[in-house]
Structures are given as C-alpha cells and as structure tokens.
Amino acid sequence: MVMEETSKTTSPNSVVSEFEGTLLKSNDPFSYFMLLAFDASGVIRFTILLFLWPVTTLLNVFSYKDASLKLMIFISTAGLRESDSELVARDVLPKFYMDDLSMDTWKVLSSCKKRIVVTRKPRVMVERFAKQHLNAEEVIGTELIVNRFGLSPKPHLGLGRRPALSDSTTFLSLCEEQIHEPVQWNNQVEVQPPKPVIFHDGGLMKRPTPATALTILLWLPFGIILAMIRILGAFIVPMWLMPYVISLSFCRVTVKGKPPPKAANSGGVLFVCSHRTMIDPLVISYTLGRSIPAVLISDLSRFYDILSPVPIVRFIRNRDVDGAKMKQELDKGDLVVCPEGSICYQPFVLRFSAMFAELTDRIVPVAINCRFGFFQRPLRSWNGLYLIFLFMNPTLDYEITFLDQLPFEATCSSGKTPYDVANHVQRILADTLGFECTNLGRKAKYNVLT
C-alpha cells in the first residue's frame, strides 16, 4: 500500500473516518455478519448466510454493493430483537474489530479531538466498539442520514479509501481535507494505544471468513462425536491412564517447571492458577497424576459435578463460609483454586481475590495457557454447554508451568497483607505467560458483558 505523508505539525480538531477498509484493514463486512448470525441466532442462520455468500459476492462484483449489504443485513438480523444485536456488538465483536484494527489509521484518528466513524454496517454493530475503545464521539451507520453533517461544522479531516474502492465519497466531500489512504501522521502529538479489549464472549474464536465458516460447518458433526468421546473418556478412564488418552484425542499438555511432590504430613499445597478454561483444575490433576479437589463458583451447572473425575468444592460467595470450606479441604490435602473467579480469553490476568492468601503459606503458583481452534461457550447459552463446545475443538493445546512455592517472606506470615500476596502472585503469573495484569475482576467482567 502506498503511504501518503502529510505536512501537518499540529492536530486537526475533528476527523471523520470510514470504518471498513480504513479503520479496519478488511473492507468486507461479511465475516462480522456471520458472527452476528452465529451468536445472536445460531447455526441455521449462520449456514444460510454462508450459502448466500456467492450471491453477495457476485452482487459486489457487478457493482450492486447496496443490494449485497442489504441482503447480508436482512439474513443476519431478520426476526432478531434489537437487544440481541446489541448483545453481540457488546460482547463478541469488539475482540475481532481490535484484531483487525489498522494502527496507521488509529494514529491519525487518535490525534484529533472530535472523532466520528462512518460505517456501512448497522450502527448498532459498531457503536459500542467505536465509543468504548476508540473514544469516538459519534457513529453514523447505514440506518442514519449521512447529510446530518450539515447540522454542525465541517470536520477538518476525512479518512477513507480511494473513490474507486469506496462508497465514502459523500461524507469525504463534506470534510475540509481528504485523505484516501492510511497516513503517516507527522505531528508532535503522542499517540496512545486504543483501549484494549479485555473481556470477550461468544461462541467462535476465529473471525468466520467464508473459508473458515465452511470449515466450521463441515467440522461440527465430527466435533460433536469427538466431544462425547473426550467427555466419556474423562469420566471412565482411570487417572493414571489419562495422559495417554489425552494424547490420543488430539490434546497436548506441555508441562514446565517442577511440581511439588504429594505432602507426606498433614495439610496440603494450594495450587493458585490463572484461569483460561473450565477444565484448568482437571488438567492440573492429570499433570500430577492424582485427584486434587478444585474450587468452583456456585452458579455453574451441576453438570460439572456429575462428569468431573475430581472432587469439586463449591463457593457460595460468602467469605466466611467459603474460607472455612477451603481451610477444611487444605487440612485434608492439596487444593486447586483460580482466584480470578472467571475465565479471561484475552492475554490478561484478572484481579485476584485475596482470600486464598489468608489460609495458607504453602502456595504454589501455576501459570496456565490454552490454545484451541474454533469454539468457546456460545453467547447466553446454558453454561453446561461450555464443556461440550470446548471439547468440540479439533485440538486443545495446554501449557502448564509450575513455579516455585512462595518463600516465607512473600506470605502473610511474614507480615504481608493478603492483598500484597495476591497481587504478587498475579504479577508473577502474568510475567510467566507474557500477559498483562489488570485491576478488573469478575464483577467488572459481568458489568461489561451484561
């Protein structure tokens, strides 16, 4: 791509930018409508839209772009409640938009005080991301009248694709200066990164381009069979055989560090883990070759209790009751806990609950990461489906890193507060994984995603 360089040394006051193909590197909205169809409606609508992809492509080829867009909007939204579309726009799409964001365009956008985003997609699909993560003041979508610019001063700068590639000529003509490609902005303003996407939900891990979407549909029947085999295997096979079963079912577990041996005396070790999937504690048990109880929150489906080959200790979110329960289990032996309290799919470690630090000094941090191909739990579905969708992935690649037990001077017994200990463990786990620490926790996640 040819880069144009502007001679400006000061930032313009306002900018209006095209979303597709300018702020986003991709100019094809198809995959985002596929995400909306999958998470707001399900596989049937997802399949119908995929089968109509040749039609929408031909319409674009023969310059019927508006007809192509209207067809995608109709198929992906007809019959949906507006709240369903808003839910997907809030919980699912931001992660994929951020992955596709053009940092060159962001540098220009971020240098301007008033930011306006224009999109071909319905405004509801873009507004949350643009305002929350790009600090846009306004988002204009296909359902709004573009000539509303006439009601306010002209934007100083317009960013869009070249006229031959874009439908953005109308709004660009209303700007004082027009730039048709991402630019290298030659000014003295320090560029801040866009607000990161920390929380992400939704059923698909990859943006469903036509090829990816077809692969997912073809894999679905095999994935369901594979999930049933994996679940039954975890339920039936003895623990000592599990490493062999895992490798035969296209799963890989890489272990780093030296796990502590089983304690010979009374009391156990508390394994404090980062939280990437619902089976993290189970993988710890498989790695150590012995059944270790795991702490889970109380609102998870009892489906996990039935299928889990390791004992489950349920929290009810009463600090005194939960603390006493954990202490009782630690007196019996080892215990696994994920103090984040919720899964984070992005490269962040959420804020830790400090209660674990009050109960024992025998704390072993365990850094867990997991890479899987297609699926996570579908948006707003029964949480018991999480296990099924996780095991439907063609491969599961776990990496478990056992760190050294915390030294005495890093525990509460040395005078450290529980919060100091929790923050220290969070930090060393994040450093091991190459992730970032965040002060946001479980409550913040559900405030964002609900």
Side-chain angles (χ1 to χ4, degrees), residues 331-351:
D331 289 340
K332 298 177 185 176
D334 297 341
L335 185 64
V336 178
V337 65
C338 300
E340 289 173 275
S342 185
I343 294 168
C344 184
Y345 297 110
Q346 299 295 94
F348 294 89
V349 180
L350 305 185
R351 188 185 69 240

Side-chain angles (χ1 to χ4, degrees), residues 11 13-14 21 36 59 84 92 102 105 113 159 162 189 198 207 210-211 221 240 301 354 365 377 385 389 417 433 444:
S11 300
N13 181 61
S14 58
L36 176 62
L59 288 172
D84 294 332
V92 179
S102 168
T105 308
K113 297 177 182 178
L159 305 177
R162 296 191 181 280
V189 178
I198 298 175
R207 184 159 62 96
W240 64 272
S301 171
R377 182 172 70 90
L385 283 177
F389 270 80
T417 69
L433 293 166

Side-chain angles (χ1 to χ4, degrees), residues 5 12 33 59 69 71 79 117 120 247 252 265 299 314 330 334 351 371 373-375 386 406 441:
E5 186 166 331
F33 286 115
L59 288 172
L69 180 66
L71 179 60
V117 174
R120 296 180 65 219
S247 60
R252 184 175 67 174
N265 55 356
D299 57 358
R314 284 189 170 267
L330 279 169
D334 297 341
R351 188 185 69 240
R371 289 173 287 274
F374 293 148
F375 307 108
Y386 177 91
L406 291 189

Side-chain angles (χ1 to χ4, degrees), residues 17-46:
S17 176
E18 188 179 16
F19 193 62
E20 296 81 13
T22 303
L23 269 169
L24 298 186
K25 289 174 280 190
S26 169
N27 60 18
D28 186 1
F30 179 80
S31 58
Y32 298 103
F33 286 115
M34 291 289 282
L35 287 165
L36 176 62
F38 186 89
D39 278 301
S41 187
V43 176
I44 294 177
R45 192 188 295 262
F46 180 84

Side-chain angles (χ1 to χ4, degrees), residues 243-450:
Y244 306 101
V245 174
I246 288 176
S247 60
L248 290 174
S249 63
F250 308 105
C251 298
R252 184 175 67 174
V253 179
T254 303
V255 181
K256 299 181 179 179
K258 187 177 180 181
K262 185 176 181 181
N265 55 356
S266 61
V269 168
L270 182 61
F271 294 97
V272 179
C273 309
S274 55
H275 203 10
R276 303 300 284 176
T277 74
M278 281 309 304
I279 63 170
D280 294 338
L282 185 60
V283 178
I284 295 290
S285 288
Y286 291 159
T287 300
L288 297 174
R290 60 183 188 270
S291 179
I292 301 177
V295 174
L296 291 180
I297 56 177
S298 60
D299 57 358
L300 286 172
S301 171
R302 292 287 173 180
F303 181 68
Y304 293 101
D305 295 43
I306 297 171
L307 292 181
S308 176
V310 301
I312 289 179
V313 180
R314 284 189 170 267
F315 272 11
I316 62 171
R317 298 199 187 96
N318 179 306
R319 188 177 182 84
D320 294 335
V321 174
D322 294 339
K325 193 178 295 185
M326 277 189 69
K327 184 63 176 175
Q328 183 180 16
E329 290 295 331
L330 279 169
D331 289 340
K332 298 177 185 176
D334 297 341
L335 185 64
V336 178
V337 65
C338 300
E340 289 173 275
S342 185
I343 294 168
C344 184
Y345 297 110
Q346 299 295 94
F348 294 89
V349 180
L350 305 185
R351 188 185 69 240
F352 278 13
S353 168
M355 185 176 67
F356 74 89
E358 304 171 9
L359 304 177
T360 182
D361 295 334
R362 301 175 64 186
I363 297 171
V364 174
V366 184
I368 296 179
N369 201 4
C370 182
R371 289 173 287 274
F372 43 97
F374 293 148
F375 307 108
Q376 59 189 37
R377 182 172 70 90
L379 194 64
R380 293 198 310 176
S381 66
W382 173 53
N383 59 37
L385 283 177
Y386 177 91
L387 195 62
I388 296 173
F389 270 80
L390 177 65
F391 283 144
M392 282 173 58
N393 284 289
T395 60
L396 288 171
D397 190 356
Y398 262 94
E399 186 175 284
I400 312 293
T401 304
F402 290 93
L403 303 178
D404 294 335
Q405 181 174 315
L406 291 189
F408 173 80
E409 58 270 18
T411 66
C412 290
S413 294
S414 69
K416 299 275 187 185
T417 69
Y419 301 100
D420 289 337
V421 176
N423 290 340
H424 174 65
V425 175
Q426 180 201 27
R427 188 163 51 252
I428 60 177
L429 289 179
D431 289 345
T432 301
L433 293 166
F435 292 175
E436 292 184 39
C437 289
T438 174
N439 289 324
L440 302 175
R442 182 180 185 277
K443 288 184 179 179
K445 174 180 176 178
Y446 289 103
N447 285 336
V448 170
L449 297 184
T450 56

Side-chain angles (χ1 to χ4, degrees), residues 1 17-32 35 93-106 109 117-121 125-126 129-130 134 159-161 181-182 207:
M1 179 178 290
S17 176
E18 188 179 16
F19 193 62
E20 296 81 13
T22 303
L23 269 169
L24 298 186
K25 289 174 280 190
S26 169
N27 60 18
D28 186 1
F30 179 80
S31 58
Y32 298 103
L35 287 165
L93 296 181
K95 184 261 185 189
F96 296 96
Y97 288 150
M98 187 64 76
D99 290 345
D100 198 28
L101 186 67
S102 168
M103 295 309 295
D104 289 326
T105 308
W106 164 250
L109 192 78
V117 174
V118 176
T119 176
R120 296 180 65 219
K121 294 193 282 289
M125 292 179 66
V126 175
F129 172 75
L134 305 181
L159 305 177
R161 288 171 289 156
E181 294 286 351
R207 184 159 62 96

Side-chain angles (χ1 to χ4, degrees), residues 27-305:
N27 60 18
D28 186 1
F30 179 80
S31 58
Y32 298 103
F33 286 115
M34 291 289 282
L35 287 165
L36 176 62
F38 186 89
D39 278 301
S41 187
V43 176
I44 294 177
R45 192 188 295 262
F46 180 84
T47 305
I48 293 172
L49 185 56
L50 176 61
F51 285 164
L52 286 174
W53 172 73
V55 177
T56 62
T57 301
L58 285 174
L59 288 172
N60 280 321
V61 169
F62 291 106
S63 299
Y64 293 102
K65 294 183 178 180
D66 286 344
S68 174
L69 180 66
K70 288 177 182 178
L71 179 60
M72 287 187 284
I73 293 174
F74 176 78
I75 297 300
S76 59
T77 63
L80 290 181
R81 293 174 297 182
E82 185 178 7
S83 60
D84 294 332
S85 300
E86 291 174 346
L87 187 68
V88 175
R90 182 186 67 211
D91 296 356
V92 179
L93 296 181
K95 184 261 185 189
F96 296 96
Y97 288 150
M98 187 64 76
D99 290 345
D100 198 28
L101 186 67
S102 168
M103 295 309 295
D104 289 326
T105 308
W106 164 250
K107 290 177 184 178
V108 182
L109 192 78
S110 63
S111 68
C112 303
K113 297 177 182 178
K114 183 176 181 180
R115 306 166 189 174
I116 300 170
V117 174
V118 176
T119 176
R120 296 180 65 219
K121 294 193 282 289
R123 175 181 52 83
V124 68
M125 292 179 66
V126 175
E127 187 170 42
R128 176 85 177 205
F129 172 75
K131 290 186 174 181
Q132 292 289 325
H133 298 278
L134 305 181
N135 293 324
E137 184 173 305
E138 190 170 5
V139 176
I140 297 176
T142 55
E143 76 278 25
L144 300 180
I145 298 173
V146 174
N147 65 12
R148 64 190 297 175
F149 283 125
L151 302 177
S152 58
K154 280 189 174 184
H156 294 139
L157 187 62
L159 305 177
R161 288 171 289 156
R162 296 191 181 280
L165 303 174
S166 174
D167 300 321
S168 60
T169 307
T170 302
F171 87 80
L172 285 177
S173 66
L174 299 171
C175 303
E176 293 179 6
E177 182 180 356
Q178 302 175 24
I179 301 178
H180 294 107
E181 294 286 351
V183 299
Q184 294 177 338
W185 196 238
N186 184 22
N187 63 10
Q188 305 302 316
V189 178
E190 182 181 355
V191 177
Q192 298 293 328
K195 183 179 177 182
V197 176
I198 298 175
F199 304 121
H200 166 60
D201 210 341
L204 298 178
M205 293 298 295
K206 294 183 177 180
R207 184 159 62 96
T209 61
T212 302
L214 181 60
T215 303
I216 290 171
L217 284 178
L218 293 175
W219 173 254
L220 273 175
F222 301 101
I224 293 172
I225 296 171
L226 182 59
M228 294 299 103
I229 293 173
R230 286 170 169 169
I231 291 172
L232 289 174
F235 185 66
I236 295 173
V237 175
M239 188 70 67
W240 64 272
L241 272 178
M242 195 53 61
Y244 306 101
V245 174
I246 288 176
S247 60
L248 290 174
S249 63
F250 308 105
C251 298
R252 184 175 67 174
V253 179
T254 303
V255 181
K256 299 181 179 179
K258 187 177 180 181
K262 185 176 181 181
N265 55 356
S266 61
V269 168
L270 182 61
F271 294 97
V272 179
C273 309
S274 55
H275 203 10
R276 303 300 284 176
T277 74
M278 281 309 304
I279 63 170
D280 294 338
L282 185 60
V283 178
I284 295 290
S285 288
Y286 291 159
T287 300
L288 297 174
R290 60 183 188 270
S291 179
I292 301 177
V295 174
L296 291 180
I297 56 177
S298 60
D299 57 358
L300 286 172
S301 171
R302 292 287 173 180
F303 181 68
Y304 293 101
D305 295 43

